[in-house]
Amino acid sequence: MVDIYRHAVELMKALPASDPRNWTKQAEIHQNFCPHGNWFFFPWHRVYLHYFEDICRKLTNEPTFALPYWDWCLNPSNIPAAYWGAGNALYDSTRFATQASVPDPSNVGLTVVSNMCNEPDFNLFAGGATPGLRGAAGSYGNIEATPHNSTHGFVGGDMGTYMSPLDPIFWNHHCMVDVCWYEWNILRKNANTNDTNWLNFDYTGMFVDGNGNPATMKTSACLLLPLLSFRYESGIDGVPIPVNDPGDQAALENTKKIIQQGAPIALDVRQRFILDPNTKRVPVNPNQAEVVSIKMDTSAVARVFTGDKTERVILKLKSISQPVTSDFFLRIFINKPGASAATSTDDPSYAGSFYFFTHGGANQPEAERNDYLVDVTDTLRRLRADGNLSDLRSVNIHIVGVARDGSDRRFSVETGSIELLVSNININKMAI
């Protein structure tokens, strides 16, 4: 399959610029339309992969071709050897990563990603609601914010920009991202939203099929692609999945119906604690912590410490500015004096990380501001058990900027208001 893929890339690179299946033209689709930081992230990229795979099949005359996926959860693995070497169509000379580079397991390791796939809430896993692909509201889901974004920055070069599909590893990376959604939605039976604005969103005018003709699909149709168009060989853990063919049409139709119908999804906020409203912007600089203190009502989070799995405390960082490059990230610690880039992610006060994936390059669209959600429930529980959270009337949030290469290069981002949300989570498991 990798050899067929290499041949497909060679053929796409040889197509004239006027052909919409041309390698650069396919990358421009991502530059012009891709949604990030909202609930269209998963379905848009699944449709993108679907039609790209169709192009590969038609050009190579290999109707059974299926895109390989780069399972960065295992080991974790560096960029496979088949993607290196001058004259190799799968090699991209702009990469910052080398053949020896290995991604940080705290970003892409199996334990981290599996915990993310255990998150039952669609908003936290897949992203927040927005009316369109770009530019309005929305928030990052945990898979996008950490393993997805960090891998783009880890590879670097073309992969660090919205023209990232110029690097052939992009397609294998995003195939793995789609495996995460498949794992969450179908293997672990978590329900997508049933919001009609999401289900009925139409991707007309963005893609072409294997013959170069305009193609379209709605979100509701792409939910069924892992059942009808392809089957993943394994989940995120690399363990082979038995072929799950119901055998009779009635059973298959019932499974399709359950997956497509979804469930009511809403981040049910019971109480909201906001940083001083007079603080309009919080600057974050490299390799140091910006500390903000949020006053809380102790009784509001009492259920969190009783083991109630539906009660969550969510840190919401609103309207974070997008940096110029994708080579740094933010870590969040709770009540950790002296927190810095050197503070271990194994520290009980560590709450989570999120990474930036920026437009980059020339003619980039106007920078967007998106929200990031970090579930700090388990962190608060750990700190309480260790005796480091005796007073909940004020919680200190430590935001640490970290350069990916460990240097003290200058960069800065700003976040708008910062909130702690006490929320009820609706757990909707599908009966499939």
Side-chain angles (χ1 to χ4, degrees), residues 225-370:
L225 290 178
L227 295 177
L228 304 180
S229 177
F230 58 83
R231 299 290 174 89
Y232 281 117
E233 184 178 62
S234 70
I236 60 173
D237 57 5
V239 176
I241 299 171
V243 175
N244 182 22
D245 190 341
D248 65 82
Q249 192 64 29
L252 178 59
E253 291 301 319
N254 184 58
T255 299
K256 288 162 55 178
K257 180 180 179 181
I258 291 171
I259 290 172
Q260 282 189 307
Q261 69 185 13
I265 302 295
L267 199 61
D268 181 17
V269 179
R270 289 201 305 105
Q271 284 190 268
R272 187 186 304 266
F273 301 96
I274 305 174
L275 181 68
D276 183 351
N278 293 320
T279 305
K280 300 298 184 183
R281 293 287 173 202
V282 178
V284 181
N285 294 299
N287 301 321
Q288 64 187 55
E290 181 68 30
V291 184
V292 297
S293 184
I294 299 180
K295 296 180 179 179
M296 292 186 68
D297 176 0
T298 305
S299 63
V301 292
R303 284 169 50 191
V304 167
F305 303 109
T306 65
D308 186 338
K309 293 183 179 180
T310 64
E311 184 85 340
R312 304 286 188 87
V313 181
I314 310 296
L315 174 67
K316 185 174 186 178
L317 297 101
K318 299 185 66 174
S319 191
I320 292 186
S321 61
Q322 294 295 309
V324 176
T325 60
S326 304
D327 55 355
F328 65 91
F329 56 97
L330 302 182
R331 285 184 179 147
I332 307 297
F333 297 89
I334 306 293
N335 286 10
K336 183 65 178 178
S340 70
T343 305
S344 172
T345 56
D346 292 328
D347 192 284
S349 64
Y350 174 69
S353 301
F354 50 88
Y355 295 71
F356 299 102
F357 176 46
T358 62
H359 293 290
N363 302 318
Q364 64 178 353
E366 183 181 354
E368 300 170 22
R369 287 180 177 267
N370 295 94

Side-chain angles (χ1 to χ4, degrees), residues 27-271:
E28 288 173 351
I29 293 173
H30 191 266
Q31 170 82 359
N32 294 334
F33 299 109
C34 68
H36 287 276
N38 63 57
W39 63 356
F40 292 116
F41 169 75
F42 278 120
W44 187 92
H45 284 87
R46 178 174 284 178
V47 178
Y48 192 29
L49 289 170
H50 172 75
Y51 286 118
F52 177 81
E53 192 174 67
D54 189 36
I55 292 170
C56 291
R57 288 172 177 168
K58 289 293 178 66
L59 290 178
T60 60
N61 196 29
E62 295 280 358
T64 63
F65 170 73
L67 271 170
Y69 48 101
W70 172 26
D71 193 338
W72 22 250
C73 277
L74 301 182
N75 303 321
S77 62
N78 49 11
I79 300 173
Y83 291 72
W84 296 95
N88 179 1
L90 299 182
Y91 173 60
D92 186 299
S93 62
T94 70
R95 294 172 187 157
F96 298 163
T98 68
Q99 285 184 268
S101 300
V102 177
D104 187 339
S106 70
N107 300 329
V108 299
L110 180 58
T111 299
V112 172
V113 177
S114 184
N115 286 339
M116 291 179 178
C117 291
N118 282 335
E119 169 55 61
D121 183 75
F122 177 83
N123 296 280
L124 295 176
F125 177 81
T130 182
L133 294 181
R134 291 179 172 178
S139 60
Y140 278 84
N142 56 26
I143 292 293
E144 182 185 5
T146 302
H148 167 266
N149 285 2
S150 68
T151 300
H152 275 278
F154 162 74
V155 177
D158 287 331
M159 272 284 279
T161 74
Y162 272 29
M163 285 295 284
S164 49
L166 288 175
D167 188 333
I169 200 65
F170 165 91
W171 302 94
N172 313 108
H173 167 50
H174 263 279
C175 208
M176 181 59 190
V177 170
D178 193 66
V179 171
C180 293
W181 187 23
Y182 172 80
E183 173 96 23
W184 180 84
N185 181 214
I186 296 178
L187 296 186
R188 304 197 186 189
K189 301 176 173 47
N190 294 297
N192 294 305
T193 178
N194 66 355
D195 191 306
T196 55
N197 292 323
W198 186 78
L199 286 170
N200 295 333
F201 195 87
D202 193 331
Y203 303 99
T204 297
M206 303 179 199
F207 308 106
V208 296
D209 64 17
N211 296 316
N213 297 320
T216 188
M217 190 179 295
K218 290 185 177 182
T219 297
S220 57
C222 89
L223 301 180
L224 301 180
L225 290 178
L227 295 177
L228 304 180
S229 177
F230 58 83
R231 299 290 174 89
Y232 281 117
E233 184 178 62
S234 70
I236 60 173
D237 57 5
V239 176
I241 299 171
V243 175
N244 182 22
D245 190 341
D248 65 82
Q249 192 64 29
L252 178 59
E253 291 301 319
N254 184 58
T255 299
K256 288 162 55 178
K257 180 180 179 181
I258 291 171
I259 290 172
Q260 282 189 307
Q261 69 185 13
I265 302 295
L267 199 61
D268 181 17
V269 179
R270 289 201 305 105
Q271 284 190 268

